[in-house]
Amino acid sequence: MSKERPTIADVAVRAGVSKGAVSFALNGKPGLAQATVDRILAAADELGWRPSSRARSLSVSKAFALGLVITRDPGVLSSDPFFPAFIGGVESVLAPRGQALVLQVVAPGEDEEAGYRRLAQDGRVDGVFLSDLRHEDPRIDLLTSLGLPAVTLNRPEVDSPFPAVCLDDRPGTVAVVQHLLELGHRRIAHVAGPQDFVHATARTDAFVSALAEAGLRPAGVETSDFTAAGGIEATKRLLALPEPPTAIFYANDRMAIAGMGAAQQTGLRVPDDLSIAGFDDSELAEFVHPGLTTVRADPYAFGEAAARTLNQLVDGEGPVADLELPPARLIIRRSTANLEDR
């Protein structure tokens, strides 16, 4: 039979102190000599004592969990270039605090609102991350009505009582366009993400504006869905234009890598015949052939910052300000080349 889980009483006996002293030490309360605190912590470590999440939540009326609702097809989520890294960053903050991440994956077409209501009911989470902001996003009012603390990933277009953790995609997008222009490209196209997402629209707007500053119009803009299949179909449509682009900028790496394959299957050489650039700098971007020129956004750091900010809000550490992360930046690899060298 396995040994029963050690209790505070066991720690008290091992350290030679009262249970009250153990409680003070383990919860970081003042009033004990540092030598006593060290002895208690050493005893807890020797016994393998870990706090009971259920007991903690009952004692302080907290769930010790944060929530995330993702609207994606569960079948393709594992290959998403953003969310696995973002979740890794979140977990790096939550795990040392003994917190859990409660994840709800809602397939497109299902009731996303019900996902947030499930997280809010019975105090299952202390707060949520609000991702994939939409135009006129109704979730801000929903979370406010549910009394559920939240951190938004970037700023919503509607009034929001919640702090935002912001990573500006625009400098990276502009840098891609400038890079392609410097290489001599003038017929530059874009494969965009879903335009109901604020961040996808921001990338498209930045792309169009950067070309306009150079006195150019896009060779084409195709809206897709951030999936590999969507990237392939969008690429085929662009390459079928009467004047096809000499360079394509994709709103994420997954579409870019898939588009690269689609172009190569038609007999085009990358970058000799077509330059391709992506966005995210996902793990595969460096190892495909040729290596993908892309924009590094660091979703892991995004997750870390979002988790710290949400915990500040949940812990009641006074007004929590918006946080600006370093902007996304261009990473140049071999998938883009000088047009004059063709």
Coordinates of all heavy atoms in Angstrom, one line a residue, residues 167-255:
L167 N 1.6 43.0 -28.1 CA 2.7 42.7 -29.0 C 2.4 43.3 -30.4 O 1.5 42.8 -31.0 CB 3.0 41.2 -29.0 CG 4.4 40.8 -29.6 CD1 4.8 39.5 -29.1 CD2 4.4 40.8 -31.1
D168 N 3.1 44.3 -30.7 CA 2.8 45.1 -32.0 C 3.3 44.3 -33.2 O 4.5 44.2 -33.4 CB 3.3 46.5 -31.9 CG 2.8 47.4 -33.0 OD1 2.1 46.9 -33.9 OD2 3.1 48.6 -33.0
D169 N 2.4 43.8 -34.0 CA 2.8 43.1 -35.2 C 3.3 44.0 -36.4 O 3.9 43.6 -37.3 CB 1.6 42.2 -35.8 CG 1.2 41.1 -34.8 OD1 2.0 40.8 -34.0 OD2 0.1 40.6 -35.0
R170 N 2.8 45.2 -36.3 CA 3.0 46.1 -37.5 C 4.5 46.4 -37.8 O 4.8 46.3 -39.0 CB 2.3 47.4 -37.2 CG 0.7 47.2 -37.3 CD 0.0 48.4 -36.8 NE 0.3 48.7 -35.4 CZ -0.3 49.7 -34.7 NH1 -1.1 50.5 -35.3 NH2 0.0 49.8 -33.4
P171 N 5.4 46.7 -36.9 CA 6.8 46.9 -37.3 C 7.4 45.7 -38.1 O 8.1 45.9 -39.0 CB 7.5 47.1 -36.0 CG 6.4 47.7 -35.1 CD 5.2 46.9 -35.4
G172 N 7.0 44.5 -37.7 CA 7.5 43.3 -38.4 C 7.0 43.2 -39.8 O 7.7 42.9 -40.7
T173 N 5.7 43.5 -39.9 CA 5.0 43.5 -41.2 C 5.7 44.5 -42.1 O 6.0 44.2 -43.3 CB 3.5 43.7 -41.1 OG1 3.0 42.7 -40.2 CG2 2.8 43.7 -42.4
V174 N 5.8 45.7 -41.6 CA 6.4 46.8 -42.5 C 7.9 46.4 -42.8 O 8.3 46.6 -44.0 CB 6.4 48.1 -41.7 CG1 7.2 49.2 -42.4 CG2 5.0 48.6 -41.5
A175 N 8.6 45.8 -41.9 CA 10.0 45.4 -42.2 C 10.0 44.3 -43.3 O 10.9 44.3 -44.2 CB 10.6 44.8 -41.0
V176 N 9.0 43.4 -43.4 CA 9.0 42.4 -44.5 C 8.8 43.1 -45.8 O 9.5 42.8 -46.8 CB 7.8 41.4 -44.3 CG1 7.6 40.6 -45.5 CG2 8.1 40.5 -43.1
V177 N 7.8 44.1 -45.9 CA 7.6 44.8 -47.1 C 8.8 45.5 -47.6 O 9.2 45.5 -48.7 CB 6.4 45.7 -47.0 CG1 6.2 46.6 -48.2 CG2 5.1 44.9 -46.7
Q178 N 9.5 46.2 -46.6 CA 10.7 47.0 -47.0 C 11.8 46.1 -47.5 O 12.5 46.4 -48.4 CB 11.1 47.8 -45.8 CG 10.1 49.0 -45.4 CD 10.5 49.7 -44.1 OE1 11.3 49.1 -43.3 NE2 10.0 50.9 -44.0
H179 N 11.9 44.9 -46.8 CA 12.9 44.0 -47.3 C 12.7 43.5 -48.7 O 13.6 43.5 -49.5 CB 12.9 42.8 -46.3 CG 13.7 41.6 -46.7 ND1 15.0 41.6 -46.9 CD2 13.2 40.3 -47.1 CE1 15.4 40.4 -47.3 NE2 14.4 39.6 -47.4
L180 N 11.4 43.2 -49.0 CA 11.1 42.7 -50.4 C 11.3 43.9 -51.4 O 11.7 43.6 -52.5 CB 9.7 42.2 -50.4 CG 9.4 40.9 -49.6 CD1 7.9 40.6 -49.5 CD2 10.2 39.8 -50.2
L181 N 10.9 45.1 -51.0 CA 11.1 46.2 -51.9 C 12.6 46.4 -52.2 O 13.0 46.7 -53.3 CB 10.5 47.5 -51.3 CG 9.0 47.5 -51.2 CD1 8.6 48.8 -50.4 CD2 8.4 47.6 -52.6
E182 N 13.4 46.3 -51.1 CA 14.9 46.5 -51.3 C 15.5 45.4 -52.2 O 16.5 45.6 -52.9 CB 15.6 46.4 -49.9 CG 15.3 47.7 -49.1 CD 15.8 47.5 -47.7 OE1 16.3 46.4 -47.3 OE2 15.6 48.4 -46.8
L183 N 14.8 44.2 -52.3 CA 15.2 43.2 -53.2 C 14.8 43.4 -54.6 O 15.0 42.5 -55.5 CB 14.8 41.8 -52.6 CG 15.4 41.3 -51.3 CD1 14.7 40.1 -50.8 CD2 16.9 41.1 -51.5
G184 N 14.0 44.4 -54.8 CA 13.6 44.8 -56.2 C 12.2 44.3 -56.5 O 11.7 44.5 -57.7
H185 N 11.5 43.7 -55.6 CA 10.1 43.2 -55.9 C 9.1 44.4 -55.9 O 9.2 45.3 -55.1 CB 9.7 42.2 -54.8 CG 10.5 41.0 -54.8 ND1 10.2 39.9 -55.7 CD2 11.6 40.6 -54.1 CE1 11.1 38.9 -55.5 NE2 12.0 39.3 -54.5
R186 N 8.2 44.3 -56.9 CA 7.2 45.3 -57.0 C 5.8 44.7 -57.1 O 4.8 45.3 -56.8 CB 7.4 46.2 -58.3 CG 8.7 47.1 -58.2 CD 8.6 48.0 -57.0 NE 9.8 48.9 -56.9 CZ 10.8 48.6 -56.1 NH1 10.8 47.4 -55.4 NH2 11.8 49.4 -56.0
R187 N 5.7 43.4 -57.5 CA 4.5 42.7 -57.5 C 4.5 41.8 -56.2 O 4.9 40.6 -56.3 CB 4.3 41.9 -58.7 CG 4.1 42.7 -60.0 CD 3.4 42.0 -61.1 NE 4.0 40.7 -61.4 CZ 5.0 40.4 -62.2 NH1 5.6 41.5 -62.9 NH2 5.4 39.2 -62.5
I188 N 4.0 42.4 -55.1 CA 4.1 41.7 -53.8 C 2.6 41.4 -53.4 O 1.8 42.3 -53.3 CB 4.8 42.5 -52.7 CG1 6.2 42.9 -53.3 CG2 4.9 41.7 -51.4 CD1 6.9 43.9 -52.4
A189 N 2.3 40.1 -53.0 CA 1.0 39.7 -52.6 C 1.0 39.3 -51.1 O 2.0 39.2 -50.5 CB 0.5 38.6 -53.5
H190 N -0.2 39.2 -50.6 CA -0.4 38.9 -49.2 C -1.4 37.8 -49.0 O -2.5 37.9 -49.6 CB -0.8 40.1 -48.4 CG -1.0 39.9 -46.9 ND1 -0.1 39.2 -46.1 CD2 -2.0 40.3 -46.1 CE1 -0.6 39.1 -44.9 NE2 -1.7 39.8 -44.8
V191 N -1.1 36.8 -48.2 CA -2.1 35.8 -47.8 C -2.5 36.1 -46.3 O -1.6 35.9 -45.5 CB -1.6 34.3 -47.9 CG1 -2.7 33.4 -47.4 CG2 -1.3 34.0 -49.4
A192 N -3.7 36.6 -46.1 CA -4.1 37.2 -44.8 C -4.8 36.1 -44.0 O -5.3 35.1 -44.5 CB -5.0 38.4 -45.0
G193 N -4.8 36.4 -42.7 CA -5.6 35.6 -41.8 C -7.1 36.0 -41.8 O -7.5 37.0 -42.5
P194 N -8.0 35.4 -41.0 CA -9.4 35.7 -41.0 C -9.5 37.2 -40.6 O -9.0 37.6 -39.5 CB -9.9 34.8 -39.9 CG -9.0 33.6 -39.9 CD -7.6 34.2 -40.1
Q195 N -10.3 37.9 -41.4 CA -10.4 39.4 -41.1 C -11.3 39.8 -40.0 O -11.5 41.0 -39.7 CB -10.7 40.1 -42.4 CG -9.6 40.0 -43.5 CD -8.3 40.6 -43.1 OE1 -8.2 41.8 -43.1 NE2 -7.3 39.7 -42.7
D196 N -12.0 38.8 -39.4 CA -12.7 39.1 -38.2 C -11.8 39.2 -37.0 O -12.2 39.7 -35.9 CB -13.9 38.1 -37.9 CG -13.4 36.7 -37.9 OD1 -12.3 36.4 -38.5 OD2 -14.1 35.9 -37.3
F197 N -10.6 38.7 -37.1 CA -9.6 38.8 -36.0 C -8.9 40.2 -36.1 O -8.4 40.6 -37.2 CB -8.5 37.7 -36.1 CG -9.1 36.4 -35.7 CD1 -8.3 35.2 -36.0 CD2 -10.3 36.2 -35.1 CE1 -8.7 34.0 -35.7 CE2 -10.7 34.9 -34.8 CZ -10.0 33.8 -35.1
V198 N -8.8 40.9 -35.0 CA -8.1 42.2 -35.0 C -6.7 42.1 -35.5 O -6.2 42.9 -36.2 CB -8.3 42.9 -33.6 CG1 -7.4 44.2 -33.6 CG2 -9.7 43.2 -33.3
H199 N -5.9 41.1 -35.0 CA -4.5 41.0 -35.3 C -4.3 40.7 -36.8 O -3.3 41.1 -37.4 CB -3.8 40.0 -34.4 CG -4.2 38.6 -34.6 ND1 -5.3 38.0 -34.1 CD2 -3.5 37.6 -35.3 CE1 -5.3 36.7 -34.4 NE2 -4.3 36.5 -35.1
A200 N -5.2 39.9 -37.4 CA -5.1 39.6 -38.8 C -5.3 40.8 -39.6 O -4.6 41.1 -40.6 CB -6.1 38.5 -39.2
T201 N -6.3 41.6 -39.2 CA -6.6 42.9 -40.0 C -5.4 43.8 -39.8 O -5.1 44.5 -40.8 CB -7.9 43.5 -39.4 OG1 -9.0 42.6 -39.5 CG2 -8.2 44.8 -40.2
A202 N -4.8 43.9 -38.6 CA -3.7 44.8 -38.4 C -2.5 44.5 -39.3 O -1.9 45.4 -39.9 CB -3.3 44.8 -36.9
R203 N -2.3 43.2 -39.5 CA -1.2 42.8 -40.4 C -1.5 43.2 -41.9 O -0.6 43.6 -42.6 CB -0.9 41.3 -40.3 CG -0.4 40.9 -38.9 CD -0.2 39.4 -38.8 NE 0.0 39.0 -37.4 CZ 0.1 37.8 -36.9 NH1 0.0 36.8 -37.7 NH2 0.3 37.6 -35.6
T204 N -2.7 42.9 -42.3 CA -3.1 43.3 -43.6 C -3.0 44.8 -43.9 O -2.5 45.2 -44.9 CB -4.6 42.8 -43.9 OG1 -4.6 41.4 -43.7 CG2 -5.0 43.1 -45.3
D205 N -3.5 45.6 -42.9 CA -3.5 47.0 -43.0 C -2.1 47.5 -43.1 O -1.7 48.4 -43.9 CB -4.2 47.7 -41.9 CG -5.8 47.5 -41.9 OD1 -6.2 47.0 -43.0 OD2 -6.4 47.7 -40.9
A206 N -1.2 46.9 -42.3 CA 0.2 47.4 -42.2 C 0.9 47.0 -43.6 O 1.7 47.8 -44.1 CB 0.9 46.7 -41.1
F207 N 0.5 45.9 -44.1 CA 1.1 45.5 -45.4 C 0.7 46.4 -46.5 O 1.5 46.9 -47.3 CB 0.6 44.0 -45.8 CG 0.9 43.6 -47.2 CD1 2.1 43.1 -47.5 CD2 -0.2 43.6 -48.1 CE1 2.4 42.7 -48.8 CE2 0.1 43.2 -49.4 CZ 1.4 42.8 -49.8
V208 N -0.6 46.7 -46.6 CA -1.2 47.6 -47.6 C -0.6 49.0 -47.5 O -0.2 49.7 -48.4 CB -2.7 47.7 -47.6 CG1 -3.2 48.7 -48.6 CG2 -3.3 46.3 -47.9
S209 N -0.5 49.5 -46.2 CA 0.0 50.9 -46.0 C 1.5 51.0 -46.3 O 2.0 52.0 -46.9 CB -0.1 51.2 -44.5 OG -1.5 51.3 -44.2
A210 N 2.3 49.9 -46.0 CA 3.7 50.0 -46.4 C 3.9 50.0 -47.9 O 4.8 50.7 -48.4 CB 4.4 48.7 -45.8
L211 N 3.1 49.3 -48.6 CA 3.2 49.3 -50.1 C 2.8 50.7 -50.6 O 3.4 51.3 -51.5 CB 2.3 48.2 -50.7 CG 2.9 46.8 -50.8 CD1 1.9 45.9 -51.4 CD2 4.2 46.8 -51.5
A212 N 1.7 51.3 -50.0 CA 1.2 52.6 -50.4 C 2.3 53.6 -50.3 O 2.4 54.6 -51.1 CB 0.0 52.9 -49.7
E213 N 3.1 53.6 -49.2 CA 4.1 54.5 -49.0 C 5.2 54.5 -50.0 O 5.9 55.4 -50.3 CB 4.8 54.3 -47.6 CG 3.8 54.7 -46.4 CD 4.5 54.6 -45.1 OE1 5.8 54.4 -45.1 OE2 3.9 54.8 -44.1
A214 N 5.3 53.3 -50.7 CA 6.2 53.1 -51.8 C 5.6 53.4 -53.1 O 6.2 53.2 -54.2 CB 6.8 51.7 -51.8
G215 N 4.3 53.9 -53.1 CA 3.6 54.2 -54.3 C 3.1 52.9 -55.1 O 2.8 53.0 -56.3
L216 N 2.9 51.8 -54.3 CA 2.5 50.6 -54.9 C 1.2 50.1 -54.3 O 0.8 50.5 -53.2 CB 3.5 49.5 -54.7 CG 4.9 49.8 -55.3 CD1 5.9 48.7 -54.9 CD2 4.8 49.8 -56.9
R217 N 0.5 49.2 -55.1 CA -0.7 48.5 -54.6 C -0.3 47.0 -54.5 O 0.6 46.5 -55.2 CB -1.9 48.7 -55.6 CG -2.3 50.1 -55.7 CD -3.4 50.3 -56.8 NE -4.5 49.4 -56.6 CZ -5.6 49.8 -55.9 NH1 -5.6 50.9 -55.3 NH2 -6.6 48.9 -55.8
P218 N -1.0 46.3 -53.7 CA -0.8 44.8 -53.6 C -1.0 44.1 -54.9 O -1.9 44.5 -55.7 CB -1.7 44.3 -52.5 CG -2.1 45.5 -51.7 CD -2.1 46.7 -52.7
A219 N -0.1 43.2 -55.2 CA -0.4 42.3 -56.4 C -1.6 41.4 -56.2 O -2.2 40.9 -57.2 CB 0.8 41.5 -56.7
G220 N -2.0 41.3 -55.0 CA -3.2 40.5 -54.6 C -3.2 40.3 -53.1 O -2.2 40.3 -52.5
V221 N -4.4 40.2 -52.6 CA -4.6 39.9 -51.2 C -5.7 38.8 -51.1 O -6.8 39.0 -51.6 CB -5.1 41.1 -50.4 CG1 -5.4 40.7 -48.9 CG2 -4.0 42.2 -50.3
E222 N -5.3 37.6 -50.6 CA -6.2 36.5 -50.4 C -6.4 36.3 -48.9 O -5.4 36.1 -48.2 CB -5.6 35.3 -51.1 CG -5.6 35.3 -52.6 CD -7.0 35.2 -53.2 OE1 -7.9 34.7 -52.5 OE2 -7.1 35.6 -54.4
T223 N -7.6 36.2 -48.5 CA -8.0 35.9 -47.1 C -8.1 34.4 -46.9 O -8.7 33.7 -47.6 CB -9.3 36.6 -46.7 OG1 -9.2 38.0 -46.8 CG2 -9.6 36.3 -45.2
S224 N -7.4 33.9 -45.9 CA -7.4 32.5 -45.6 C -7.7 32.3 -44.1 O -8.2 33.2 -43.4 CB -6.0 31.9 -46.0 OG -6.1 30.5 -45.9
D225 N -7.3 31.1 -43.6 CA -7.8 30.8 -42.2 C -6.6 30.3 -41.3 O -6.9 29.7 -40.3 CB -8.8 29.6 -42.3 CG -8.3 28.4 -43.0 OD1 -7.1 28.4 -43.5 OD2 -9.0 27.4 -43.2
F226 N -5.4 30.7 -41.6 CA -4.2 30.3 -40.9 C -3.9 28.8 -41.0 O -2.9 28.4 -40.3 CB -4.4 30.7 -39.4 CG -4.3 32.1 -39.1 CD1 -5.1 32.7 -38.2 CD2 -3.3 32.9 -39.7 CE1 -5.0 34.1 -37.9 CE2 -3.2 34.3 -39.4 CZ -4.1 34.9 -38.5
T227 N -4.6 28.0 -41.8 CA -4.2 26.6 -41.9 C -3.4 26.3 -43.1 O -3.3 27.2 -44.0 CB -5.5 25.7 -42.0 OG1 -6.1 26.0 -43.3 CG2 -6.5 26.0 -40.9
A228 N -2.7 25.2 -43.1 CA -1.9 24.8 -44.3 C -2.7 24.7 -45.5 O -2.3 25.2 -46.6 CB -1.1 23.5 -44.0
A229 N -3.9 24.0 -45.4 CA -4.7 23.9 -46.6 C -5.2 25.2 -47.1 O -5.2 25.4 -48.3 CB -6.0 23.0 -46.2
G230 N -5.5 26.1 -46.2 CA -5.9 27.5 -46.6 C -4.8 28.2 -47.3 O -5.0 28.9 -48.3
G231 N -3.5 28.0 -46.8 CA -2.4 28.6 -47.5 C -2.1 28.1 -48.9 O -1.8 28.9 -49.8
I232 N -2.3 26.8 -49.1 CA -2.1 26.2 -50.4 C -3.1 26.8 -51.4 O -2.8 27.2 -52.5 CB -2.3 24.7 -50.3 CG1 -1.1 24.1 -49.5 CG2 -2.4 24.1 -51.7 CD1 -1.2 22.6 -49.2
E233 N -4.4 26.8 -51.0 CA -5.4 27.3 -51.9 C -5.2 28.8 -52.3 O -5.4 29.2 -53.4 CB -6.8 27.0 -51.3 CG -7.2 25.6 -51.2 CD -7.1 24.8 -52.5 OE1 -7.6 25.4 -53.6 OE2 -6.5 23.7 -52.6
A234 N -4.9 29.6 -51.3 CA -4.7 31.0 -51.5 C -3.5 31.2 -52.4 O -3.5 32.1 -53.3 CB -4.4 31.7 -50.2
T235 N -2.4 30.4 -52.3 CA -1.2 30.5 -53.1 C -1.6 30.2 -54.6 O -1.2 30.8 -55.5 CB -0.1 29.5 -52.6 OG1 0.2 29.9 -51.3 CG2 1.1 29.7 -53.5
K236 N -2.4 29.1 -54.8 CA -2.8 28.7 -56.1 C -3.6 29.9 -56.8 O -3.4 30.1 -58.0 CB -3.6 27.5 -56.1 CG -2.9 26.2 -55.7 CD -3.8 25.0 -55.6 CE -3.0 23.7 -55.3 NZ -3.9 22.5 -55.2
R237 N -4.4 30.5 -56.0 CA -5.2 31.6 -56.6 C -4.3 32.8 -57.0 O -4.5 33.4 -58.1 CB -6.3 32.1 -55.6 CG -7.4 31.1 -55.4 CD -8.6 31.7 -54.7 NE -8.3 32.1 -53.3 CZ -8.4 31.3 -52.2 NH1 -8.8 30.1 -52.4 NH2 -8.1 31.8 -51.0
L238 N -3.3 33.1 -56.2 CA -2.4 34.2 -56.5 C -1.5 33.9 -57.7 O -1.3 34.7 -58.6 CB -1.5 34.5 -55.3 CG -2.2 35.2 -54.1 CD1 -1.3 35.2 -52.9 CD2 -2.7 36.6 -54.5
L239 N -1.1 32.6 -57.8 CA -0.2 32.3 -58.9 C -0.9 32.1 -60.2 O -0.3 32.1 -61.3 CB 0.5 30.9 -58.6 CG 1.5 31.0 -57.4 CD1 2.1 29.6 -57.2 CD2 2.6 32.1 -57.6
A240 N -2.3 32.1 -60.1 CA -3.1 32.0 -61.4 C -3.5 33.4 -61.9 O -4.1 33.5 -62.9 CB -4.4 31.2 -61.1
L241 N -3.1 34.4 -61.2 CA -3.4 35.8 -61.7 C -2.7 36.1 -63.0 O -1.6 35.5 -63.3 CB -2.9 36.8 -60.6 CG -3.7 36.8 -59.3 CD1 -3.0 37.8 -58.3 CD2 -5.1 37.3 -59.5
P242 N -3.3 36.9 -63.9 CA -2.7 37.3 -65.1 C -1.2 37.8 -64.9 O -0.3 37.5 -65.8 CB -3.6 38.4 -65.7 CG -4.9 38.1 -65.1 CD -4.6 37.6 -63.7
E243 N -1.0 38.6 -63.9 CA 0.3 39.0 -63.5 C 0.6 38.5 -62.1 O 0.4 39.2 -61.1 CB 0.5 40.6 -63.6 CG 0.4 41.1 -65.0 CD 0.8 42.6 -65.0 OE1 0.1 43.4 -64.3 OE2 1.8 43.0 -65.6
P244 N 1.1 37.3 -62.0 CA 1.3 36.7 -60.7 C 2.4 37.5 -59.9 O 3.3 38.1 -60.5 CB 1.7 35.3 -61.0 CG 2.3 35.3 -62.3 CD 1.5 36.4 -63.1
P245 N 2.3 37.4 -58.6 CA 3.3 38.1 -57.7 C 4.7 37.4 -57.9 O 4.9 36.3 -58.2 CB 2.8 37.9 -56.3 CG 2.0 36.7 -56.4 CD 1.4 36.6 -57.8
T246 N 5.7 38.3 -57.6 CA 7.1 37.7 -57.5 C 7.5 37.5 -56.1 O 8.5 36.9 -55.8 CB 8.1 38.8 -58.1 OG1 8.1 40.0 -57.4 CG2 7.8 39.1 -59.6
A247 N 6.6 37.9 -55.2 CA 6.9 37.7 -53.7 C 5.5 37.6 -53.0 O 4.6 38.3 -53.4 CB 7.7 38.8 -53.1
I248 N 5.4 36.7 -52.0 CA 4.2 36.6 -51.2 C 4.6 36.6 -49.8 O 5.5 35.9 -49.3 CB 3.4 35.3 -51.5 CG1 3.2 35.1 -53.0 CG2 2.1 35.2 -50.8 CD1 2.5 33.8 -53.4
F249 N 3.8 37.5 -49.0 CA 4.0 37.5 -47.6 C 2.7 36.9 -46.9 O 1.6 37.3 -47.2 CB 4.1 39.0 -47.1 CG 3.9 39.2 -45.6 CD1 4.6 38.5 -44.7 CD2 3.0 40.1 -45.2 CE1 4.4 38.7 -43.3 CE2 2.8 40.3 -43.8 CZ 3.5 39.6 -42.9
Y250 N 2.9 35.9 -46.1 CA 1.9 35.2 -45.5 C 1.7 35.6 -44.0 O 2.7 35.9 -43.3 CB 2.2 33.7 -45.5 CG 2.2 33.1 -46.9 CD1 3.3 33.2 -47.7 CD2 1.1 32.3 -47.3 CE1 3.4 32.7 -48.9 CE2 1.2 31.7 -48.6 CZ 2.3 31.9 -49.4 OH 2.3 31.4 -50.7
A251 N 0.5 35.6 -43.5 CA 0.2 36.0 -42.1 C 0.6 35.1 -41.1 O 0.5 35.4 -39.9 CB -1.3 36.4 -42.0
N252 N 1.0 33.9 -41.4 CA 1.7 33.0 -40.5 C 2.6 32.0 -41.2 O 2.5 31.8 -42.4 CB 0.7 32.3 -39.5 CG -0.1 31.1 -40.2 OD1 0.0 30.9 -41.4 ND2 -0.8 30.4 -39.3
D253 N 3.4 31.3 -40.4 CA 4.4 30.4 -41.0 C 3.8 29.2 -41.6 O 4.3 28.6 -42.6 CB 5.5 30.0 -40.0 CG 6.5 31.1 -39.7 OD1 6.4 32.2 -40.4 OD2 7.2 30.9 -38.7
R254 N 2.7 28.7 -41.0 CA 2.1 27.5 -41.5 C 1.6 27.6 -42.9 O 1.8 26.8 -43.8 CB 1.0 27.0 -40.5 CG 0.3 25.7 -41.0 CD -0.5 25.1 -39.9 NE -1.4 26.0 -39.2 CZ -2.3 25.6 -38.3 NH1 -2.4 24.3 -38.0 NH2 -3.1 26.4 -37.8
M255 N 0.9 28.8 -43.2 CA 0.5 29.0 -44.5 C 1.6 29.3 -45.5 O 1.6 28.8 -46.6 CB -0.5 30.2 -44.5 CG -1.8 30.0 -43.8 SD -3.0 31.3 -44.1 CE -2.3 32.8 -43.5

